[in-house]
Every structure is written in C-alpha cells, then in structure tokens.
Amino acid sequence: MTTPLRLESLEALDAIDRHGSFAAAAAALYRVPSAISYTISQLENDLGVAVFDRSGHRAVLTPAGRLLLDEGRRILTATRELGAAARRVADNWEPELRIAVDGLIPPTDLWPAIAAFGAEHPAINVRLTEEVLGGTWEALIDDRVDLAVGVADPPAGAGVRRTAYADVAFAFCCAPHHPLAERTHAVSEDELRSHRAVVVADSARRLSPRDAGLLDGQPRLTVASMASKVAALEHGLGVGHVPRAWVAEALAAGRLVEPPLDRPREAAQTWLLWRSGAPGRALAWFIRRLGGDRDQPMPRASQMRS
Amino acid sequence: MTTPLRLESLEALDAIDRHGSFAAAAAALYRVPSAISYTISQLENDLGVAVFDRSGHRAVLTPAGRLLLDEGRRILTATRELGAAARRVADNWEPELRIAVDGLIPPTDLWPAIAAFGAEHPAINVRLTEEVLGGTWEALIDDRVDLAVGVADPPAGAGVRRTAYADVAFAFCCAPHHPLAERTHAVSEDELRSHRAVVVADSARRLSPRDAGLLDGQPRLTVASMASKVAALEHGLGVGHVPRAWVAEALAAGRLVEPPLDRPREAAQTWLLWRSGAPGRALAWFIRRLGGDRDQPMPRASQMRS
DNA sequence: ATACTCGTTCAAACTTTTCGAACGCCTGAA
DNA sequence: TTCAGGCGTTCGAAAAGTTTGAACGAGTAT
C-alpha cells in the first residue's frame, strides 16, 4: 500500500547519470554532495537493492541501478507531463479533442486546421474519426466526439449548438466505361432507376439509419465510406452522387465522367455541431477556426426541414 | 528541472477516492484527517490547480482532480512495478528473457515450459523468435537472444555453452498428387535431383548462410520458415525433408505422403545454446527445464563435425 | 433542536532533509 | 615517490517539512 520509491531519488539518479558524478549532480540540483549521497542511500534502503557499486573509486551503476535510471526517467517524464496536463485542464483546455468528420467532407479539408492547432498546442491530442450521415450526429450526442464537422441535415435536438460550415456541391458520376457515360441528353429519374447506385452506409450504431436521397427501387451497392464509394464508382460498379471535392481529381483525369441529369442534386448546406454547455478552449479554437463567429442555436424541431 | 508533484499526494488522492472521504482516507493511511488535508493542499499549491471543489459540504473532484487521479494511478502502479523490477534484477532475474527457436523445432514444443514459467514468474516477460539454421546461432552470439533452442550443428565458438536438446527425425514428404507420391521402390539421389526441392532460407543476417543438406543441381523453392515449407509441400510445390513433428498430423491426414528414399536422412542431434558467463535466473530456469542438467562446454573447433 | 460527520486551521511536537566539516580513497602530475 | 585535487561517505547540528490533536464552522440526518 505504501510507495517504496521517492521521486526525488529518481531525480537524483538522473542528475548523477547526466552530470557524471555525485558532486556534479549536487551542483546541478543546488545541493551539497552529502545530500545526494543521503538521497541515494535512502533509495537503496527503501528498495533493499544496491544502486551503485562503490567498490571502485567512482560509484558505478549496478544493473538494477541501470533499470531504475532508464525506467525512472519514464516515470519522471510522465509525472511532469501529468502536472502540466492538470494545469491545462484547470485552464479549460481538453487533454484530447475528438472530432468526427462527415463523409461529405474530404478529411484533408481539416488538415490545415489540425496542423495549425498542433503547432500552437503540441501537448493536446486530436482524435479524428470519419462518420457517415446519422453516425456523425450520433457520435456527437453519444459523447464519442466533441465536434462534428460537415453534417448536412442535423435533426432537431436540444443541447446542441451549430454554425455554418461548407456548402457541399455534388457531382453525379460514373466510370467512363459505364453505359451512362456516353449520354449527351439528360438522364431522367425513371431511367436512372435501372442503374445500380453506389451508396454509403449510415455509420449510426444506435439511431435508425437514414437514406441518402435514394430513388426507390433502384438497385444498390452499399459501401462503408465515401472513399470506398469513389473507388467503386471508378471501377464501374454503379453510379452515384459524390461531393465534388472528393472527385475533382478523378473527373479531371478522366477516371470518372458526369452524365447530364434531368434533376441535378442541389448543393447541401453543412454544419459544424457541438454540444452546448461551456466548451473547452480546444473546442472553441476549432469552432472559431472552422466556423468563424456565426454560431447560432439549433432551431426547434418544428422549424427543421425533414 | 524540479518535480512539481509528490507521489504521496497521488497516494492520498487515490485513498480519498477509494474510501470516499478525507476522513476515511486518513484512517486507511493511518493518519489523521488534517494530515490528508495538508497533503492535498500541498498538491494544489505545487500545481497551482484546484483538485477538490469545496463549495459544497463534501469535497468533490474537479476535472483536473479527476485527471490527476486517473493518470496518477498509472504512475503509482508504474512506480511500484519499477521498485519490484529493480529488486528482481538485483536478485539476478532478467526483466525479459529472449529465446530463439530453430525452425527444426515446432514452436509449440516450448509452450508448456513457457506456460509453466509464466505461472511461476508472471512479471518476467518472455520474447520468442523463430530463426532458421545459421540465424539461430547468430541471434545468440549477436546478443539478440539469451537462449537458442534446437540448433543442429552449432559452429565452434568461444563463449557459448550447450546441453543436448531433442533428436529431430526427418520425414521426406510430398503432396499426394506429386509425381513421386506413387513410388513404391526407393528414390535414388539422381532421380531426386530432377524434382524441385522446397528449402527454408537461412535467417542469418550477417554470417554466410548455410545449406541445409541439399543435393547439388536440384531446382529449389526457397521459403522463409518451416511453416511455409510445410504449406508449400502440401500444395505440391516440391519435395523436401521436414522434421517429423512438423508433419505428423499432415501425414496422418493424408495431406502429405512419404515416398521411400534410397538414402534416408539421419536424425539430427539438436542443442540448447546460451552465452557463457553467469546466467540470469530466468535463463537458468529454462536451461534446467528444457535441457536437464547435462550442460557441457562447447568442443574445440577441431572436434566439430563439419 | 440535536448529534453527528465533514474538512479546515493552528500551534506544538516530531521527523526528515540539508548543511558543513572532517575523513579516507583514488588519480594524475610533478 | 609525493602531493594536490577530486570523489563519495559519515557525522552532529541546523533547517525544513510533516503529523498531531484540539478547536471550529458548516452541512445532514434524526
């Protein structure tokens, strides 16, 4: 139940190794050599283990001493880091900020912000997850993430705040060797229904999954992520709407083409969402960086579009 | 340079959380409540952070306090474990024992010994690697492992001790659909030369690789491990000698067959090897368990069979 | 109301750590 | 070889830090 080791002993051990002698360590720690001697013999007493071999003239580490030095340094580092982390928490900085990016947004969109944050606050971890449709919202309200980026039609819900994020424009794509690729006049909804659609599965675990604007009766290929959807489209496995940012390069390179559509899909307004209540400073940093200042409360359910 | 945290503070924090109140923690630590109060306020002073919220009647952890408690417990555990590990090292127990098993020996051969060791000494790590031919020896003399198991023809070398390990009998195998499978009369060396041999690559990184008793001019398929060799033989990719223990099951199940051979390969004597010098107690444990007491010095080079 | 528990504060008793001086040992230069 | 200088230990005295017990105010359960 009692700690058989004092941090000061490890600190002395570290200083001795770092400076080469008891005397030099004493100087470095603003203490007198006998105090270091005392601290080390106290360590040896606590442990019942010889840390230095004093048979020669200069004290030299025993194998056990070596282990204490090496592992002890890890403990010292962890301890200092813990102190610093506690101070950050008290200062309202989260130890880790968890962000979910919706499949609508290419994760690369966030890299500049994350890089900038990392440069400013190297000690705060950022955990990025990718979610789809309802999964993004669910991750937020289940407290699995602190910030949701790029949610298209946030359901009504108390306790969530939001600010506008990007407008996402869609491209209707298929592979160049797909039957629809040669079309010069617009494709009707009826005609579309006979071609397999590639859709991304809702990543919600708990809430009922939502459809992503699908025409009924259309055959589907369901994949797990937007990246897989793009790959499936490129391989000619079907057709589908994809955020333009995901496929700009593939369209330019000719790996995908855009058949004209009778009723093109409208751009979607997407949002930045976070739970209301006092946000931590890391969260505030990201909200400000990604969303600017246009924070607004979630509308009541009656005001939501379905 | 100075540690802004005392282990006793973390211990007090842990006791408070564990027992529910300052008073109960004091009792558990055989101290008086005011001493606990003192220790905690010292922690708060060191850190400049409130650990408990005293606005209510009972003190309750702040978020920073929660972090200190959770992470502090890890530090306490690591510290205690370090003390114990140092004591073991001083007592000549290695913190980790590294064992190389030669490809001749199925790794499962060692599991009973490793399981027994783990039960006796749960705190000592065992690292098992698999090597082939010269690689096993090399791992030992390069100090990448402490013990080599199942080496067939150890080269002469100072500074290595040995004791006999298993005799390994070989089976000459091929797949049932291989041309040699139907043979009823013995296969000559000449004839053998026209069939592809599956051989295991020597895992030595530095020393010149050794051949594994191969007939010159025979086409080869070289694989990385005995397990791959068995798999290759089962798929009919060639023929080869395999330690009987590796293929007993495949032979019984008919996935491999044994064509009769003109000159069957003799069983090989294998050895347990370790560097001479005072062995740690974990090493001694394994030597005793795997090799019994028949430890004998390595013969001089002139006495070695090539 | 009352009795109880909680956590804090304070001065006094106590324990631990640091200091400085003295010592013995070894190394390297003269 | 001697000798100067550095190393690490020991010891008593001084300083610093911790623990104690009593007193207190504040909340809770009866």
Side-chain angles (χ1 to χ4, degrees), chain A residues 69-88:
Chain A
L69 175 63
D70 294 339
E71 295 302 311
R73 280 181 173 147
R74 311 170 83 87
I75 289 179
L76 286 175
T77 308
T79 307
R80 281 191 264 265
E81 180 48 40
L82 175 55
R87 248 172 270 126
R88 283 195 299 274

Side-chain angles (χ1 to χ4, degrees), chain A residues 9 22 32-45:
Chain A
S9 308
F22 279 46
V32 105
S34 63
I36 303 299
S37 203
Y38 172 81
T39 302
I40 294 298
S41 59
Q42 175 190 255
L43 171 65
E44 297 184 307
N45 258 322

Side-chain angles (χ1 to χ4, degrees), chain A residues 83-108:
Chain A
R87 248 172 270 126
R88 283 195 299 274
V89 167
D91 214 18
N92 204 22
W93 286 103
E94 303 86 330
E96 175 177 85
L97 186 70
R98 304 159 302 166
I99 303 177
V101 203
D102 196 277
L104 293 176
I105 310 297
T108 48

Side-chain angles (χ1 to χ4, degrees), chain A residues 134-150:
Chain A
T136 319
W137 168 264
E138 190 190 270
L140 181 69
I141 59 175
D142 284 2
D143 197 9
R144 292 202 309 274
V145 300
D146 305 302
L147 177 65
V149 178

Side-chain angles (χ1 to χ4, degrees), chain B residues 22-23 34 37 54 57:
Chain B
F22 279 46
S34 62
S37 203
R54 281 106 161 160
H57 186 41

Side-chain angles (χ1 to χ4, degrees), chain A residues 112-172:
Chain A
I114 291 173
F117 184 80
E120 264 183 63
H121 305 287
I124 298 180
N125 299 319
V126 175
R127 181 187 300 268
L128 197 60
T129 58
E130 300 175 25
E131 299 280 351
V132 179
L133 295 165
T136 319
W137 168 264
E138 190 190 270
L140 181 69
I141 59 175
D142 284 2
D143 197 9
R144 292 202 309 274
V145 300
D146 305 302
L147 177 65
V149 178
V151 181
D153 284 309
V160 172
R161 296 180 69 82
R162 71 179 184 185
T163 182
Y165 188 63
D167 285 339
V168 172
F170 292 91
F172 179 72

